[in-house]
Amino acid sequence: MTRAVNTGFAVAALAMLGVLGWLVSIVPTEDGERDWFGSLNPGGWMAWTFPTALFYWIIAALLLAFTWLAIRDPETPRRGILGIATTRGDRLFISLLGSAFINLAWVGFGGSPDWGGLAISCIYALAVFRWV
């Protein structure tokens, strides 16, 4: 891999860290305490909170990391229990899609707290990366 590609991804990673720092800096404070679940955009059309923004930041960071990995260490697709050839990127997509359905089902069936759906999604993602 060329030095320019590594430099480009290093700059992108620093930009991502800058965005994360900016997100943390705009978290509203009440009585000197950060309100992590308060609106980042009061009066806006969408209820952007820090956890919501962090969710999208993590997906963007995963896509950046997986792109860098694909360039640095190209992978030969492998066949898992689904019987289809998958790469790391395919397994990431399957994990994200399945996790969305798991969390929707968790909320739909009244699961509380929401951490339970997240825990199941993490176990699911580990299983996908191991066996699919």
Side-chain angles (χ1 to χ4, degrees), residues 52-66:
T52 305
L54 183 63
F55 171 79
Y56 287 105
W57 183 90
I58 289 171
I59 290 176
L62 281 170
L63 291 173
L64 182 66
F66 274 65

Side-chain angles (χ1 to χ4, degrees), residues 15-58:
M16 288 294 292
L17 287 174
V19 168
L20 182 61
W22 173 72
L23 285 173
V24 170
S25 74
I26 64 171
V27 171
T29 55
E30 291 182 19
D31 301 327
E33 298 278 330
R34 289 196 184 269
D35 182 13
W36 294 104
F37 298 99
S39 177
L40 297 179
N41 185 17
W45 68 274
M46 186 173 171
W48 280 101
T49 62
F50 181 74
T52 305
L54 183 63
F55 171 79
Y56 287 105
W57 183 90
I58 289 171

Side-chain angles (χ1 to χ4, degrees), residues 39 53 55 60 75 85 90 106 130:
S39 177
F55 171 79
E75 181 184 21
D90 297 330
W106 184 267
R130 174 69 177 103

